[in-house]
Amino acid sequence: MEVLRRSSVFAAEIMDVFDRSPTDKELVAQAKALGREFVHSRLLRAGLAWSAPERAAPPGGRLAEVCAVLLRLGDELELIRPSVYRNVARQLNLSLQSETVVTDAFLAVATHIFSAGITWGKVVSLYAVAAGLAVDCVRQAQPAIVHALVDCLGEFVRKALAPWLRRRGGWTDVLKCVVSTDPGLRSHWLVAALCSFGRFLKAAFFLLLPER
């Protein structure tokens, strides 16, 4: 009961910051909460189970809206380039026995993704890569590494994305990416950009970490 109470308080605090300008700490907390939901969604889709202690209850309020949009954009990105976000560890020639190897590889890919600037398309791709790696880790009986990946995602947001997010008022800015409420339509400005970026990321997989 105490865990549930603390989780509820944590979720309420995250949702509350959408009503004002978020701090870096709050942006990182939101990034990790969104990461846990994104990973959880992809693991469920793959028929896999994962225990996230902080995820006692699904997000609510504005955080739930942001999460839904990220997942929807992730679906579209993965539909356009399905091979890029599956078997990510194999594409990077990674051993999943070491947490450090996996998180270092993720950070290298993340750095390369944003080397030419930041866009919401690239942010969605970052989450899709993390989720792809998480699926690989759970399949290889390394669920503890998934927690490290979520923490690594939060740390990357703190170091590289927080100023950009602050200038846009936080994570709710992604809601502007969707101009249609019909889930059967892909009529937002990200589609073309995600298509071309999928080709870029696939090339990046084979250029990064060739020694691993």
Side-chain angles (χ1 to χ4, degrees):
M1 290 298 293
E2 177 64 15
V3 172
L4 288 174
R5 186 190 69 78
R6 291 188 178 186
S7 297
S8 298
V9 170
F10 176 74
E13 288 174 348
I14 288 178
M15 288 184 287
D16 177 65
V17 302
F18 287 117
D19 296 326
R20 53 185 170 77
S21 180
T23 65
D24 285 6
K25 183 178 180 180
E26 290 163 343
L27 289 170
V28 171
Q30 293 160 11
K32 292 169 68 174
L34 293 167
R36 284 187 287 270
E37 289 301 312
F38 204 106
V39 165
H40 183 72
S41 170
R42 295 311 185 244
L43 288 171
L44 282 179
R45 189 173 66 185
L48 301 169
W50 174 59
S51 173
E54 301 92 338
R55 194 187 175 277
R62 298 288 275 170
L63 185 62
E65 293 179 46
V66 171
C67 187
V69 168
L70 281 180
L71 287 169
R72 178 178 168 187
L73 296 178
D75 287 343
E76 294 186 8
L77 179 58
E78 292 161 13
L79 182 63
I80 293 167
R81 287 288 180 270
S83 62
V84 174
Y85 303 99
R86 294 176 187 167
N87 300 313
V88 175
R90 184 188 304 168
Q91 293 187 66
L92 292 173
N93 194 27
L94 284 180
S95 166
L96 297 178
Q97 303 306 309
S98 167
E99 178 181 304
T100 300
V101 168
V102 175
T103 54
D104 284 353
F106 175 70
L107 286 175
V109 172
T111 300
H112 198 70
I113 288 173
F114 294 96
S115 60
I118 305 171
T119 66
W120 277 117
K122 294 180 181 182
V123 173
V124 174
S125 187
L126 178 71
Y127 275 79
V129 170
L133 274 173
V135 169
D136 292 340
C137 289
V138 174
R139 281 179 172 157
Q140 295 298 317
Q142 296 289 348
I145 297 180
V146 179
H147 299 283
L149 268 173
V150 171
D151 288 339
C152 190
L153 173 64
E155 183 62 14
F156 183 81
V157 168
R158 184 185 69 79
K159 290 182 175 179
L161 305 184
W164 183 84
L165 286 165
R166 275 201 318 275
R167 289 196 300 271
R168 282 156 181 77
W171 287 96
T172 52
D173 185 67
V174 75
L175 303 178
K176 300 173 185 176
C177 295
V178 178
V179 297
S180 170
T181 56
D182 184 348
L185 297 175
R186 294 194 311 235
S187 55
H188 53 72
W189 62 268
L190 278 178
V191 173
L194 292 179
C195 185
S196 61
F197 185 67
R199 290 191 291 270
F200 161 78
L201 185 60
K202 188 169 186 178
F205 277 155
F206 293 101
L207 291 174
L208 290 167
L209 311 172
E211 305 271 323
R212 293 190 184 278

